[in-house]
Short mmCIF file of all heavy atoms in Angstrom, two decimals:
data_model
loop_
_atom_site.label_atom_id
_atom_site.label_comp_id
_atom_site.label_asym_id
_atom_site.label_seq_id
_atom_site.Cartn_x
_atom_site.Cartn_y
_atom_site.Cartn_z
N LEU A 654 158.71 1.16 136.75
CA LEU A 654 158.39 0.66 135.41
C LEU A 654 156.98 0.06 135.38
O LEU A 654 156.24 0.26 134.40
CB LEU A 654 159.42 -0.38 134.99
CG LEU A 654 160.86 0.12 134.81
CD1 LEU A 654 161.79 -1.03 134.42
CD2 LEU A 654 160.93 1.24 133.78
N ARG A 655 156.60 -0.65 136.43
CA ARG A 655 155.25 -1.20 136.47
C ARG A 655 154.19 -0.09 136.55
O ARG A 655 153.15 -0.17 135.91
CB ARG A 655 155.10 -2.14 137.67
CG ARG A 655 155.82 -3.47 137.50
CD ARG A 655 155.39 -4.45 138.57
NE ARG A 655 155.74 -4.00 139.90
CZ ARG A 655 156.89 -4.30 140.52
NH1 ARG A 655 157.78 -5.04 139.90
NH2 ARG A 655 157.13 -3.86 141.74
N ILE A 656 154.48 0.94 137.33
CA ILE A 656 153.53 2.05 137.46
C ILE A 656 153.38 2.77 136.13
O ILE A 656 152.27 3.11 135.70
CB ILE A 656 153.99 3.01 138.56
CG1 ILE A 656 153.93 2.32 139.93
CG2 ILE A 656 153.15 4.27 138.58
CD1 ILE A 656 154.59 3.10 141.03
N LEU A 657 154.48 3.02 135.44
CA LEU A 657 154.42 3.68 134.14
C LEU A 657 153.63 2.84 133.15
O LEU A 657 152.85 3.37 132.34
CB LEU A 657 155.83 3.93 133.61
CG LEU A 657 156.65 5.00 134.35
CD1 LEU A 657 158.06 5.05 133.79
CD2 LEU A 657 156.00 6.36 134.24
N SER A 658 153.83 1.53 133.19
CA SER A 658 153.13 0.66 132.25
C SER A 658 151.64 0.65 132.49
O SER A 658 150.84 0.68 131.55
CB SER A 658 153.71 -0.76 132.34
OG SER A 658 153.01 -1.65 131.50
N LYS A 659 151.22 0.61 133.75
CA LYS A 659 149.80 0.48 134.07
C LYS A 659 149.06 1.80 133.94
O LYS A 659 147.93 1.85 133.46
CB LYS A 659 149.63 -0.07 135.49
CG LYS A 659 150.11 -1.50 135.64
CD LYS A 659 149.99 -1.97 137.09
CE LYS A 659 150.52 -3.38 137.26
NZ LYS A 659 150.44 -3.85 138.65
N ARG A 660 149.70 2.89 134.37
CA ARG A 660 148.98 4.16 134.44
C ARG A 660 149.14 5.02 133.20
O ARG A 660 148.25 5.82 132.89
CB ARG A 660 149.44 4.95 135.67
CG ARG A 660 149.04 4.34 136.98
CD ARG A 660 149.45 5.23 138.14
NE ARG A 660 148.87 6.56 138.05
CZ ARG A 660 147.68 6.88 138.54
NH1 ARG A 660 146.94 5.96 139.13
NH2 ARG A 660 147.21 8.11 138.43
N TYR A 661 150.25 4.89 132.50
CA TYR A 661 150.52 5.80 131.40
C TYR A 661 150.73 5.11 130.06
O TYR A 661 150.42 5.69 129.02
CB TYR A 661 151.76 6.65 131.71
CG TYR A 661 151.60 7.51 132.94
CD1 TYR A 661 152.02 7.05 134.18
CD2 TYR A 661 151.03 8.77 132.86
CE1 TYR A 661 151.87 7.83 135.31
CE2 TYR A 661 150.88 9.56 133.99
CZ TYR A 661 151.31 9.08 135.22
OH TYR A 661 151.15 9.85 136.34
N LEU A 662 151.30 3.92 130.07
CA LEU A 662 151.70 3.27 128.82
C LEU A 662 150.97 1.96 128.61
O LEU A 662 151.48 1.07 127.94
CB LEU A 662 153.21 3.01 128.82
CG LEU A 662 154.09 4.24 129.08
CD1 LEU A 662 155.54 3.84 129.19
CD2 LEU A 662 153.91 5.27 127.98
N GLY A 663 149.78 1.82 129.15
CA GLY A 663 149.06 0.54 129.08
C GLY A 663 148.31 0.36 127.79
O GLY A 663 147.13 0.06 127.80
N GLY A 664 148.93 0.56 126.66
CA GLY A 664 148.26 0.37 125.37
C GLY A 664 148.31 -1.06 124.92
O GLY A 664 149.09 -1.88 125.37
N THR A 665 147.47 -1.41 123.98
CA THR A 665 147.44 -2.74 123.41
C THR A 665 148.38 -2.80 122.22
O THR A 665 148.91 -1.80 121.74
CB THR A 665 146.02 -3.11 122.96
OG1 THR A 665 145.55 -2.11 122.06
CG2 THR A 665 145.10 -3.15 124.17
N ARG A 666 148.57 -4.00 121.69
CA ARG A 666 149.48 -4.18 120.58
C ARG A 666 148.91 -3.51 119.33
O ARG A 666 147.79 -3.71 118.93
CB ARG A 666 149.66 -5.68 120.31
CG ARG A 666 150.50 -5.96 119.07
CD ARG A 666 150.65 -7.44 118.84
NE ARG A 666 151.45 -8.04 119.89
CZ ARG A 666 151.77 -9.32 119.90
NH1 ARG A 666 151.36 -10.13 118.95
NH2 ARG A 666 152.49 -9.80 120.89
N SER A 667 149.71 -2.68 118.76
CA SER A 667 149.32 -2.01 117.53
C SER A 667 150.56 -1.53 116.81
O SER A 667 151.63 -1.42 117.37
CB SER A 667 148.39 -0.82 117.82
OG SER A 667 149.02 0.06 118.71
N GLY A 668 150.45 -1.28 115.53
CA GLY A 668 151.58 -0.85 114.74
C GLY A 668 151.86 0.62 114.91
O GLY A 668 151.11 1.39 115.47
N ILE A 669 153.00 1.05 114.34
CA ILE A 669 153.38 2.44 114.49
C ILE A 669 152.51 3.35 113.65
O ILE A 669 152.45 4.55 113.89
CB ILE A 669 154.86 2.63 114.12
CG1 ILE A 669 155.10 2.20 112.66
CG2 ILE A 669 155.75 1.87 115.03
CD1 ILE A 669 156.50 2.49 112.18
N HIS A 670 151.85 2.82 112.66
CA HIS A 670 150.98 3.63 111.83
C HIS A 670 149.54 3.63 112.34
O HIS A 670 148.68 4.23 111.71
CB HIS A 670 151.01 3.12 110.38
CG HIS A 670 152.39 3.13 109.79
ND1 HIS A 670 153.10 4.31 109.57
CD2 HIS A 670 153.20 2.13 109.39
CE1 HIS A 670 154.29 4.02 109.03
NE2 HIS A 670 154.37 2.71 108.93
N ASP A 671 149.31 2.96 113.43
CA ASP A 671 147.97 2.95 114.00
C ASP A 671 147.71 4.27 114.70
O ASP A 671 148.55 4.79 115.42
CB ASP A 671 147.85 1.78 115.00
CG ASP A 671 146.40 1.52 115.37
OD1 ASP A 671 145.56 2.40 115.13
OD2 ASP A 671 146.14 0.42 115.90
N GLU A 672 146.51 4.83 114.50
CA GLU A 672 146.18 6.10 115.12
C GLU A 672 146.18 5.99 116.64
O GLU A 672 146.56 6.90 117.35
CB GLU A 672 144.82 6.58 114.63
CG GLU A 672 144.81 6.89 113.13
CD GLU A 672 143.44 7.37 112.68
OE1 GLU A 672 142.54 7.41 113.55
OE2 GLU A 672 143.29 7.71 111.50
N LYS A 673 145.71 4.86 117.16
CA LYS A 673 145.67 4.69 118.61
C LYS A 673 147.07 4.67 119.21
O LYS A 673 147.29 5.17 120.30
CB LYS A 673 144.93 3.40 118.94
CG LYS A 673 144.71 3.19 120.43
CD LYS A 673 143.91 1.94 120.67
CE LYS A 673 143.67 1.74 122.16
NZ LYS A 673 142.90 0.52 122.44
N GLN A 674 148.03 4.12 118.48
CA GLN A 674 149.38 4.06 119.01
C GLN A 674 150.01 5.45 119.06
O GLN A 674 150.84 5.73 119.93
CB GLN A 674 150.23 3.13 118.12
CG GLN A 674 151.63 2.87 118.65
CD GLN A 674 151.62 2.07 119.92
OE1 GLN A 674 150.63 1.45 120.23
NE2 GLN A 674 152.69 2.12 120.66
N GLN A 675 149.62 6.34 118.17
CA GLN A 675 150.17 7.68 118.19
C GLN A 675 149.78 8.44 119.45
O GLN A 675 150.46 9.38 119.85
CB GLN A 675 149.68 8.44 116.95
CG GLN A 675 150.14 7.83 115.63
CD GLN A 675 151.64 7.89 115.45
OE1 GLN A 675 152.30 8.75 116.01
NE2 GLN A 675 152.19 6.97 114.67
N ASP A 676 148.66 8.06 120.07
CA ASP A 676 148.21 8.74 121.28
C ASP A 676 149.19 8.56 122.44
O ASP A 676 149.20 9.36 123.37
CB ASP A 676 146.83 8.24 121.68
CG ASP A 676 145.78 8.57 120.64
OD1 ASP A 676 146.03 9.50 119.84
OD2 ASP A 676 144.73 7.90 120.62
N TYR A 677 149.99 7.50 122.40
CA TYR A 677 150.88 7.18 123.51
C TYR A 677 152.26 7.82 123.33
O TYR A 677 153.12 7.64 124.19
CB TYR A 677 151.04 5.68 123.65
CG TYR A 677 149.77 4.97 124.04
CD1 TYR A 677 148.93 4.46 123.08
CD2 TYR A 677 149.41 4.84 125.37
CE1 TYR A 677 147.75 3.82 123.42
CE2 TYR A 677 148.24 4.20 125.73
CZ TYR A 677 147.42 3.70 124.74
OH TYR A 677 146.26 3.06 125.09
N SER A 678 152.50 8.52 122.24
CA SER A 678 153.84 9.02 121.97
C SER A 678 154.26 10.06 123.02
O SER A 678 155.40 10.06 123.48
CB SER A 678 153.90 9.64 120.57
OG SER A 678 152.93 10.67 120.44
N LYS A 679 153.34 10.93 123.43
CA LYS A 679 153.69 11.95 124.41
C LYS A 679 153.99 11.33 125.77
O LYS A 679 154.99 11.66 126.41
CB LYS A 679 152.54 12.95 124.53
CG LYS A 679 152.85 14.13 125.44
CD LYS A 679 151.70 15.11 125.47
CE LYS A 679 152.01 16.30 126.37
NZ LYS A 679 150.90 17.27 126.43
N ALA A 680 153.12 10.42 126.21
CA ALA A 680 153.37 9.74 127.49
C ALA A 680 154.64 8.89 127.42
O ALA A 680 155.37 8.78 128.41
CB ALA A 680 152.18 8.86 127.86
N LEU A 681 154.93 8.32 126.26
CA LEU A 681 156.14 7.50 126.12
C LEU A 681 157.38 8.37 126.23
O LEU A 681 158.37 7.98 126.88
CB LEU A 681 156.09 6.78 124.77
CG LEU A 681 157.04 5.59 124.58
CD1 LEU A 681 156.39 4.58 123.65
CD2 LEU A 681 158.36 6.03 123.99
N ARG A 682 157.35 9.56 125.64
CA ARG A 682 158.50 10.46 125.76
C ARG A 682 158.70 10.91 127.21
O ARG A 682 159.82 11.01 127.70
CB ARG A 682 158.31 11.68 124.85
CG ARG A 682 158.36 11.37 123.36
CD ARG A 682 158.52 12.66 122.55
NE ARG A 682 157.41 13.57 122.77
CZ ARG A 682 156.30 13.61 122.06
NH1 ARG A 682 156.16 12.75 121.03
NH2 ARG A 682 155.33 14.47 122.32
N GLY A 683 157.57 11.17 127.90
CA GLY A 683 157.69 11.54 129.30
C GLY A 683 158.23 10.42 130.16
O GLY A 683 159.03 10.65 131.08
#
Side-chain angles (χ1 to χ4, degrees):
L654 295 179
R655 287 192 297 269
I656 294 170
L657 291 175
S658 177
K659 293 177 182 179
R660 292 184 59 87
Y661 299 93
L662 305 175
T665 55
R666 174 180 293 182
S667 56
I669 60 174
H670 301 295
D671 194 343
E672 296 180 358
K673 186 177 180 180
Q674 186 67 18
Q675 297 296 334
D676 296 339
Y677 294 93
S678 58
K679 185 178 180 181
L681 197 149
R682 292 195 300 269

